[in-house]
Amino acid sequence: MADSGGEVPDFRPTHVVPGEGLAAWETADVSRPTTPLDAFLPVQLLARRGEWGEILCANGWSAWVDGRLLVPVPLPPPTTGGPAPARTEDPRPLLARSADAVGRYRRAVEEHAAGRLDAEGFRNSVRGLRAGIVLDGESAWLYDRTADRWLYAEGPRAATFAVAGGPGERPATTAPVPEPSEADTVGVQLDVLPEPGEAHEPTRIVQIPEAPRATEGGER
């Protein structure tokens, strides 16, 4: 984190802080929090490090934040005749990946129901699949497993709506998945998504611990 050194000459914000404000850290480390940023504060994004973003304020103060939550500032069209910069993301690649994951899961369910896959084969065929999509007319909420976030989309425009984990955290599916036993139980809790603009809690992934196994002699 850099101390405030007065106004930054020719400060040009690239983003603003979202309406609910934004937590900040001295470095890209959640163990070193600093002063939170006010809502709608203009900032300049200096660098990216995974989900982390290093920002600079107009008064010279800098910090690290969850870069996924920064709201881009609309830029004027370029004067060189090139295409205008994208202000939002194209949801089509994520829609394609989600459709592929759902299709693979559906085929595995059909194979299991027809008796061509046993329980173990079914688990192996869907291992690592993760997708999330909610459609409501022209509105869509899409889960992006690569950045562990939800996007809100309307037609060809999508923007980050909520994040499932703090900056620097990776989705659980990126780590090797151990072979499950019959006593293993995994629970997934998905919050009901509110209408855009309403207060909400982020999606939570809950791991239910394995039930204790009885040892010889009846002890636990």
Side-chain angles (χ1 to χ4, degrees):
M1 179 186 69
D3 295 331
S4 173
E7 294 295 323
V8 177
D10 299 324
F11 175 76
R12 294 186 179 182
T14 60
H15 296 74
V16 295
V17 174
E20 61 272 18
L22 198 58
W25 293 265
E26 294 184 6
T27 63
D29 183 349
V30 293
S31 67
R32 302 185 62 182
T34 186
T35 306
L37 302 178
D38 294 333
F40 307 117
L41 177 70
V43 298
Q44 182 178 355
L45 182 62
L46 301 177
R48 287 270 194 181
R49 186 183 301 174
E51 292 88 3
W52 291 98
E54 184 183 13
I55 57 92
L56 175 69
C57 299
N59 64 356
W61 187 77
S62 66
W64 289 83
V65 300
D66 189 337
R68 297 170 296 180
L69 297 175
L70 292 172
V71 181
V73 172
L75 300 176
T79 58
T80 58
R87 299 178 183 176
T88 54
E89 299 181 46
D90 184 348
R92 288 175 294 179
L94 183 53
L95 282 167
R97 292 195 298 270
S98 299
D100 178 69
V102 172
R104 290 174 57 189
Y105 189 87
R106 177 181 56 80
R107 289 191 294 272
V109 170
E110 291 175 348
E111 291 290 305
H112 192 12
R116 293 187 290 268
L117 272 180
D118 58 14
E120 181 178 1
F122 174 74
R123 286 196 300 267
N124 290 335
S125 64
V126 299
R127 186 181 304 278
L129 286 180
R130 199 176 192 191
I133 181 169
V134 177
L135 300 177
D136 184 13
E138 72 278 9
S139 302
W141 289 264
L142 308 172
Y143 178 69
D144 178 8
R145 61 171 294 176
T146 61
D148 205 15
R149 61 176 177 163
W150 284 86
L151 286 82
Y152 174 72
E154 286 185 354
R157 301 180 303 275
T160 299
F161 177 75
V163 295
E169 297 179 8
R170 304 307 308 159
T173 52
T174 58
V177 181
E179 185 68 25
S181 64
E182 294 182 358
D184 291 339
T185 304
V186 176
V188 177
Q189 175 182 346
L190 296 180
D191 291 343
V192 176
L193 289 172
E195 293 295 326
E198 294 182 357
H200 65 277
E201 293 292 332
T203 300
R204 298 188 299 274
I205 307 300
V206 180
Q207 183 78 23
I208 302 176
E210 179 181 340
R213 294 187 175 91
T215 59
E216 295 184 3
E219 298 180 356
R220 291 183 179 271

